[in-house]
Amino acid sequence: MPLFSEPPSVIKSTFGSLDQSTVAATPMDTTAVMTMSSVKSTPNLRLFKSAAKDNRIEFSENKDVVESIRSFEFNEDPSFWKDHNVQVIIRIRPLSSSEISLQGHGKCVRQESSQTITWTGHPESRFTFDMVADENVTQEMLFKAAGVPMVENCMGGYNSCVFAYGQTGSGKTHTMLGDIEGGTRRHSVNCGMTPRVFEYLFSRIQKEREARREENIKFTCRCSFLEIYNEQILDLLNPSSVNLQIREDIKKGIHVEDLTEIEVTSARDVMQQLLQGAANRKVAATNMNRASSRSHSVFTCVIESKWESQGVTHHRFARFNLVDLAGSERQKSSGAEGERLKEATNINKSLSTLGLVIMNLVSISNGKSHHVPYRDSKLTFLLQDSLGGNAKTCIIANISPSSCCSLETLSTLKFAQRAKYIKNHFSLPITEYKLELFSFCPDNHLLSQAFVNEDASGDVLAMRIQIQNLKKEVARLRSMADGGAENHENDGWTVAFPGSPTSVKWEGLHGLSSPLTADKRMSKKKDYEVALVGAFRRENDKDIALHALTAEIQAAMQLTKQREDEIQGLKMRLRFREAAVKRLESVASGKISAEIHLLKEKEEHLKEIEVLRNQVDRNQEVTRFAMENLRLKEEIRRHVISVLF
Ligand SMILES: Nc1ncnc2c1ncn2[C@@H]1O[C@H](COP(=O)(O)OP(=O)(O)OP(=O)(O)O)[C@@H](O)[C@H]1O
């Protein structure tokens, strides 16, 4: 098929490549230098790293080693996103043959459980994350655990972001894109997150269309693809436009000005854009001599939906960012010069700004107010919403388990640990409505919830009905949250995503259901609270919309009245003019004298003046000024009296 006839090398070039000549420690850890001799660094080959078999990292076939790896459960938690906005997953890749030849099977990490991992250097350090995926976790398992919920978040109207972090060669591209050779609908086992996510997204859209035919639901998806290289934004779907600027406005939020957006209707369309972007990147790379591991790539899909319900038109919107970051290793400090030095400085700048942004967000989560330096790098400015706004963010930190990458791995674990402590916060000002929420949630934990991007419009009556329904929903949820009505029938696996009018049957990994936690009741209460907050917000939105509509109607009615009065006045004046014309005709034909005509004319002018005076009096502005005038006169009078006496 022509679409997938491109060599996978092109795809690889989209998301990263190796140049091991400069591989060293992270920007935050400047001590160690890592060498991975297996990877070649010929500039032209850099782009084709993944494609060329001999340029790939080879993995051990040693059965004994594979069998000795202890595997932990890797289960998704369907309720996770209900009360979290940031998820951090560690992914450990298998040892490569070159690592084995360099350091044997020596490892720098030991997995303790499905959530904990120990770095075995000195001193030993233990880290806890939302999930730790060992080398046996397949692309499919990772997609089900991390990709599926993110698509559901987008369907629910949340801005969502998955980003892969890690040193060069740690598996970021394998995770985000993987092997899409053949590119058919039936994925190869190594096919990564992005193609799986879009295939799932479009199948969900199709299901939603079928289930909500009556609401006439319509979806629009638009994709864009950019790269940040040397602090410059390049449009990969239109390579002629370079150095694009990030803008921020109330309507569009943070966005890249003039970035090409292409409408897509299938996973196949998305892959086409990915390939297109990759091909453009290849051309630019030749001109600029850059390698993908030195740039950040952001593939974005905007998903919009519109549906009708009880005379109200709903509009929902979500931005889905898939980010492959530049390798987090420290660029070789010695010997780097010219373009390389510039590259290194910029990668360091954006990744260290990312680290700083995360640190400051954690401080904010802990109640310490701090400035968050989003604007210090293009990457953090662009991802501002995903990092600290109203988004759901999944960070996949990729690591190599080999002892030869020990310091790099520690650095990635530390970065991921910090990210774990972020709680996204409101980016909107505190309003009365939010204060109401404060009073509702004593521990304020709901204030760290991301927001559903949803809007509604319709006629006043429909909005009123909607408000009534929402009020009933609020009352019902409130009584449930108070413990009044415990509904044990809902203990199953049906997940209603906040803000989503439909619920999704969660199949679970391999179709198995995991046991619900002991504090099920607590989590159920939280679910109700989340739903209640959503209902409050929607009610508040509807109220605001209703007030605005009522005010608009009143203003329109006043204007109509004013116009009607003016028309009446004009009609009257027209009648006077017509009478005057007739009289002049009579004067001309000698039927009446000029004196009588003038007397009549005077009479009618007086009447006309009266009409105009009435009009002026009725004019609201004039009335207001007249009132103001009277009030000021009265004030002056009182002032004069007080001065005199
Ligand atoms: N979990 C894994 N299982 C099997 N192979 C993997 C895994 N992770 C990575 N690899 C392989 O390791 C090699 C390096 O991975 P990848 O290219 O994804 O690294 P990267 O972090 O994207 O590097 P760069 O920053 O240079 O682009 C590839 O050959 C990839 O196929």
Side-chain angles (χ1 to χ4, degrees), residues 371-383:
H371 162 68
V372 184
Y374 290 117
R375 288 175 188 234
D376 285 6
S377 80
K378 293 265 162 69
L379 176 75
T380 48
F381 191 7
L382 191 67
L383 295 181

mmCIF file with all atom_site columns, all heavy atoms in Angstrom, residues 371-383:
data_model
loop_
_atom_site.group_PDB
_atom_site.id
_atom_site.type_symbol
_atom_site.label_atom_id
_atom_site.label_alt_id
_atom_site.label_comp_id
_atom_site.label_asym_id
_atom_site.label_entity_id
_atom_site.label_seq_id
_atom_site.pdbx_PDB_ins_code
_atom_site.Cartn_x
_atom_site.Cartn_y
_atom_site.Cartn_z
_atom_site.occupancy
_atom_site.B_iso_or_equiv
_atom_site.pdbx_formal_charge
_atom_site.auth_seq_id
_atom_site.auth_comp_id
_atom_site.auth_asym_id
_atom_site.auth_atom_id
_atom_site.pdbx_PDB_model_num
ATOM 1   N N   . HIS A 1 371 ? 6.970  31.186 41.245 1.00 0.00 ? 371 HIS A N   1
ATOM 2   C CA  . HIS A 1 371 ? 6.789  31.489 39.828 1.00 0.00 ? 371 HIS A CA  1
ATOM 3   C C   . HIS A 1 371 ? 7.168  30.234 39.041 1.00 0.00 ? 371 HIS A C   1
ATOM 4   O O   . HIS A 1 371 ? 8.156  29.575 39.346 1.00 0.00 ? 371 HIS A O   1
ATOM 5   C CB  . HIS A 1 371 ? 7.705  32.662 39.455 1.00 0.00 ? 371 HIS A CB  1
ATOM 6   C CG  . HIS A 1 371 ? 7.929  32.791 37.992 1.00 0.00 ? 371 HIS A CG  1
ATOM 7   N ND1 . HIS A 1 371 ? 6.929  33.158 37.132 1.00 0.00 ? 371 HIS A ND1 1
ATOM 8   C CD2 . HIS A 1 371 ? 9.038  32.572 37.224 1.00 0.00 ? 371 HIS A CD2 1
ATOM 9   C CE1 . HIS A 1 371 ? 7.405  33.168 35.902 1.00 0.00 ? 371 HIS A CE1 1
ATOM 10  N NE2 . HIS A 1 371 ? 8.683  32.817 35.931 1.00 0.00 ? 371 HIS A NE2 1
ATOM 11  N N   . VAL A 1 372 ? 6.363  29.876 38.052 1.00 0.00 ? 372 VAL A N   1
ATOM 12  C CA  . VAL A 1 372 ? 6.699  28.706 37.238 1.00 0.00 ? 372 VAL A CA  1
ATOM 13  C C   . VAL A 1 372 ? 7.253  29.220 35.902 1.00 0.00 ? 372 VAL A C   1
ATOM 14  O O   . VAL A 1 372 ? 6.549  29.903 35.164 1.00 0.00 ? 372 VAL A O   1
ATOM 15  C CB  . VAL A 1 372 ? 5.463  27.805 36.998 1.00 0.00 ? 372 VAL A CB  1
ATOM 16  C CG1 . VAL A 1 372 ? 5.853  26.552 36.246 1.00 0.00 ? 372 VAL A CG1 1
ATOM 17  C CG2 . VAL A 1 372 ? 4.801  27.440 38.322 1.00 0.00 ? 372 VAL A CG2 1
ATOM 18  N N   . PRO A 1 373 ? 8.517  28.898 35.603 1.00 0.00 ? 373 PRO A N   1
ATOM 19  C CA  . PRO A 1 373 ? 9.145  29.531 34.424 1.00 0.00 ? 373 PRO A CA  1
ATOM 20  C C   . PRO A 1 373 ? 8.788  28.864 33.099 1.00 0.00 ? 373 PRO A C   1
ATOM 21  O O   . PRO A 1 373 ? 9.666  28.485 32.319 1.00 0.00 ? 373 PRO A O   1
ATOM 22  C CB  . PRO A 1 373 ? 10.644 29.381 34.730 1.00 0.00 ? 373 PRO A CB  1
ATOM 23  C CG  . PRO A 1 373 ? 10.731 28.140 35.543 1.00 0.00 ? 373 PRO A CG  1
ATOM 24  C CD  . PRO A 1 373 ? 9.453  28.015 36.316 1.00 0.00 ? 373 PRO A CD  1
ATOM 25  N N   . TYR A 1 374 ? 7.488  28.723 32.848 1.00 0.00 ? 374 TYR A N   1
ATOM 26  C CA  . TYR A 1 374 ? 7.060  28.066 31.610 1.00 0.00 ? 374 TYR A CA  1
ATOM 27  C C   . TYR A 1 374 ? 7.692  28.700 30.378 1.00 0.00 ? 374 TYR A C   1
ATOM 28  O O   . TYR A 1 374 ? 8.062  28.043 29.427 1.00 0.00 ? 374 TYR A O   1
ATOM 29  C CB  . TYR A 1 374 ? 5.543  28.194 31.444 1.00 0.00 ? 374 TYR A CB  1
ATOM 30  C CG  . TYR A 1 374 ? 4.722  27.396 32.414 1.00 0.00 ? 374 TYR A CG  1
ATOM 31  C CD1 . TYR A 1 374 ? 3.878  28.033 33.325 1.00 0.00 ? 374 TYR A CD1 1
ATOM 32  C CD2 . TYR A 1 374 ? 4.756  26.004 32.420 1.00 0.00 ? 374 TYR A CD2 1
ATOM 33  C CE1 . TYR A 1 374 ? 3.098  27.309 34.202 1.00 0.00 ? 374 TYR A CE1 1
ATOM 34  C CE2 . TYR A 1 374 ? 3.975  25.275 33.303 1.00 0.00 ? 374 TYR A CE2 1
ATOM 35  C CZ  . TYR A 1 374 ? 3.149  25.931 34.185 1.00 0.00 ? 374 TYR A CZ  1
ATOM 36  O OH  . TYR A 1 374 ? 2.379  25.210 35.053 1.00 0.00 ? 374 TYR A OH  1
ATOM 37  N N   . ARG A 1 375 ? 7.781  30.050 30.402 1.00 0.00 ? 375 ARG A N   1
ATOM 38  C CA  . ARG A 1 375 ? 8.187  30.754 29.188 1.00 0.00 ? 375 ARG A CA  1
ATOM 39  C C   . ARG A 1 375 ? 9.689  30.734 28.945 1.00 0.00 ? 375 ARG A C   1
ATOM 40  O O   . ARG A 1 375 ? 10.166 31.302 27.966 1.00 0.00 ? 375 ARG A O   1
ATOM 41  C CB  . ARG A 1 375 ? 7.690  32.193 29.239 1.00 0.00 ? 375 ARG A CB  1
ATOM 42  C CG  . ARG A 1 375 ? 6.200  32.228 29.054 1.00 0.00 ? 375 ARG A CG  1
ATOM 43  C CD  . ARG A 1 375 ? 5.641  33.593 29.202 1.00 0.00 ? 375 ARG A CD  1
ATOM 44  N NE  . ARG A 1 375 ? 4.195  33.510 29.191 1.00 0.00 ? 375 ARG A NE  1
ATOM 45  C CZ  . ARG A 1 375 ? 3.429  34.199 28.373 1.00 0.00 ? 375 ARG A CZ  1
ATOM 46  N NH1 . ARG A 1 375 ? 3.943  35.010 27.512 1.00 0.00 ? 375 ARG A NH1 1
ATOM 47  N NH2 . ARG A 1 375 ? 2.119  34.052 28.428 1.00 0.00 ? 375 ARG A NH2 1
ATOM 48  N N   . ASP A 1 376 ? 10.430 30.082 29.855 1.00 0.00 ? 376 ASP A N   1
ATOM 49  C CA  . ASP A 1 376 ? 11.876 30.075 29.676 1.00 0.00 ? 376 ASP A CA  1
ATOM 50  C C   . ASP A 1 376 ? 12.329 29.151 28.556 1.00 0.00 ? 376 ASP A C   1
ATOM 51  O O   . ASP A 1 376 ? 13.484 29.186 28.131 1.00 0.00 ? 376 ASP A O   1
ATOM 52  C CB  . ASP A 1 376 ? 12.584 29.689 30.984 1.00 0.00 ? 376 ASP A CB  1
ATOM 53  C CG  . ASP A 1 376 ? 12.557 30.843 31.963 1.00 0.00 ? 376 ASP A CG  1
ATOM 54  O OD1 . ASP A 1 376 ? 11.906 31.857 31.656 1.00 0.00 ? 376 ASP A OD1 1
ATOM 55  O OD2 . ASP A 1 376 ? 13.177 30.728 33.038 1.00 0.00 ? 376 ASP A OD2 1
ATOM 56  N N   . SER A 1 377 ? 11.453 28.246 28.122 1.00 0.00 ? 377 SER A N   1
ATOM 57  C CA  . SER A 1 377 ? 11.809 27.437 26.944 1.00 0.00 ? 377 SER A CA  1
ATOM 58  C C   . SER A 1 377 ? 10.548 27.193 26.128 1.00 0.00 ? 377 SER A C   1
ATOM 59  O O   . SER A 1 377 ? 9.437  27.209 26.660 1.00 0.00 ? 377 SER A O   1
ATOM 60  C CB  . SER A 1 377 ? 12.434 26.105 27.363 1.00 0.00 ? 377 SER A CB  1
ATOM 61  O OG  . SER A 1 377 ? 11.423 25.192 27.736 1.00 0.00 ? 377 SER A OG  1
ATOM 62  N N   . LYS A 1 378 ? 10.772 26.982 24.833 1.00 0.00 ? 378 LYS A N   1
ATOM 63  C CA  . LYS A 1 378 ? 9.626  26.770 23.927 1.00 0.00 ? 378 LYS A CA  1
ATOM 64  C C   . LYS A 1 378 ? 8.850  25.524 24.356 1.00 0.00 ? 378 LYS A C   1
ATOM 65  O O   . LYS A 1 378 ? 7.625  25.490 24.325 1.00 0.00 ? 378 LYS A O   1
ATOM 66  C CB  . LYS A 1 378 ? 10.126 26.594 22.481 1.00 0.00 ? 378 LYS A CB  1
ATOM 67  C CG  . LYS A 1 378 ? 10.736 27.851 21.898 1.00 0.00 ? 378 LYS A CG  1
ATOM 68  C CD  . LYS A 1 378 ? 9.712  28.632 21.105 1.00 0.00 ? 378 LYS A CD  1
ATOM 69  C CE  . LYS A 1 378 ? 10.095 30.064 20.864 1.00 0.00 ? 378 LYS A CE  1
ATOM 70  N NZ  . LYS A 1 378 ? 11.196 30.345 19.978 1.00 0.00 ? 378 LYS A NZ  1
ATOM 71  N N   . LEU A 1 379 ? 9.610  24.494 24.757 1.00 0.00 ? 379 LEU A N   1
ATOM 72  C CA  . LEU A 1 379 ? 8.976  23.222 25.125 1.00 0.00 ? 379 LEU A CA  1
ATOM 73  C C   . LEU A 1 379 ? 8.001  23.403 26.288 1.00 0.00 ? 379 LEU A C   1
ATOM 74  O O   . LEU A 1 379 ? 6.844  22.986 26.218 1.00 0.00 ? 379 LEU A O   1
ATOM 75  C CB  . LEU A 1 379 ? 10.059 22.196 25.502 1.00 0.00 ? 379 LEU A CB  1
ATOM 76  C CG  . LEU A 1 379 ? 9.554  20.859 25.994 1.00 0.00 ? 379 LEU A CG  1
ATOM 77  C CD1 . LEU A 1 379 ? 9.018  20.032 24.839 1.00 0.00 ? 379 LEU A CD1 1
ATOM 78  C CD2 . LEU A 1 379 ? 10.660 20.081 26.707 1.00 0.00 ? 379 LEU A CD2 1
ATOM 79  N N   . THR A 1 380 ? 8.469  24.058 27.346 1.00 0.00 ? 380 THR A N   1
ATOM 80  C CA  . THR A 1 380 ? 7.611  24.201 28.525 1.00 0.00 ? 380 THR A CA  1
ATOM 81  C C   . THR A 1 380 ? 6.472  25.198 28.284 1.00 0.00 ? 380 THR A C   1
ATOM 82  O O   . THR A 1 380 ? 5.377  25.021 28.795 1.00 0.00 ? 380 THR A O   1
ATOM 83  C CB  . THR A 1 380 ? 8.426  24.616 29.769 1.00 0.00 ? 380 THR A CB  1
ATOM 84  O OG1 . THR A 1 380 ? 9.257  25.708 29.408 1.00 0.00 ? 380 THR A OG1 1
ATOM 85  C CG2 . THR A 1 380 ? 9.251  23.474 30.287 1.00 0.00 ? 380 THR A CG2 1
ATOM 86  N N   . PHE A 1 381 ? 6.748  26.214 27.467 1.00 0.00 ? 381 PHE A N   1
ATOM 87  C CA  . PHE A 1 381 ? 5.693  27.185 27.140 1.00 0.00 ? 381 PHE A CA  1
ATOM 88  C C   . PHE A 1 381 ? 4.563  26.462 26.401 1.00 0.00 ? 381 PHE A C   1
ATOM 89  O O   . PHE A 1 381 ? 3.383  26.583 26.725 1.00 0.00 ? 381 PHE A O   1
ATOM 90  C CB  . PHE A 1 381 ? 6.290  28.311 26.293 1.00 0.00 ? 381 PHE A CB  1
ATOM 91  C CG  . PHE A 1 381 ? 5.387  29.509 26.099 1.00 0.00 ? 381 PHE A CG  1
ATOM 92  C CD1 . PHE A 1 381 ? 4.177  29.632 26.770 1.00 0.00 ? 381 PHE A CD1 1
ATOM 93  C CD2 . PHE A 1 381 ? 5.761  30.543 25.247 1.00 0.00 ? 381 PHE A CD2 1
ATOM 94  C CE1 . PHE A 1 381 ? 3.352  30.732 26.597 1.00 0.00 ? 381 PHE A CE1 1
ATOM 95  C CE2 . PHE A 1 381 ? 4.938  31.647 25.056 1.00 0.00 ? 381 PHE A CE2 1
ATOM 96  C CZ  . PHE A 1 381 ? 3.736  31.737 25.730 1.00 0.00 ? 381 PHE A CZ  1
ATOM 97  N N   . LEU A 1 382 ? 4.982  25.641 25.428 1.00 0.00 ? 382 LEU A N   1
ATOM 98  C CA  . LEU A 1 382 ? 3.995  24.921 24.617 1.00 0.00 ? 382 LEU A CA  1
ATOM 99  C C   . LEU A 1 382 ? 3.219  23.894 25.447 1.00 0.00 ? 382 LEU A C   1
ATOM 100 O O   . LEU A 1 382 ? 2.028  23.689 25.247 1.00 0.00 ? 382 LEU A O   1
ATOM 101 C CB  . LEU A 1 382 ? 4.728  24.208 23.471 1.00 0.00 ? 382 LEU A CB  1
ATOM 102 C CG  . LEU A 1 382 ? 3.874  23.626 22.372 1.00 0.00 ? 382 LEU A CG  1
ATOM 103 C CD1 . LEU A 1 382 ? 3.202  24.736 21.595 1.00 0.00 ? 382 LEU A CD1 1
ATOM 104 C CD2 . LEU A 1 382 ? 4.722  22.787 21.429 1.00 0.00 ? 382 LEU A CD2 1
ATOM 105 N N   . LEU A 1 383 ? 3.921  23.273 26.383 1.00 0.00 ? 383 LEU A N   1
ATOM 106 C CA  . LEU A 1 383 ? 3.270  22.217 27.173 1.00 0.00 ? 383 LEU A CA  1
ATOM 107 C C   . LEU A 1 383 ? 2.685  22.746 28.484 1.00 0.00 ? 383 LEU A C   1
ATOM 108 O O   . LEU A 1 383 ? 2.312  21.971 29.359 1.00 0.00 ? 383 LEU A O   1
ATOM 109 C CB  . LEU A 1 383 ? 4.261  21.082 27.478 1.00 0.00 ? 383 LEU A CB  1
ATOM 110 C CG  . LEU A 1 383 ? 4.784  20.291 26.279 1.00 0.00 ? 383 LEU A CG  1
ATOM 111 C CD1 . LEU A 1 383 ? 5.726  19.204 26.732 1.00 0.00 ? 383 LEU A CD1 1
ATOM 112 C CD2 . LEU A 1 383 ? 3.642  19.679 25.483 1.00 0.00 ? 383 LEU A CD2 1
#
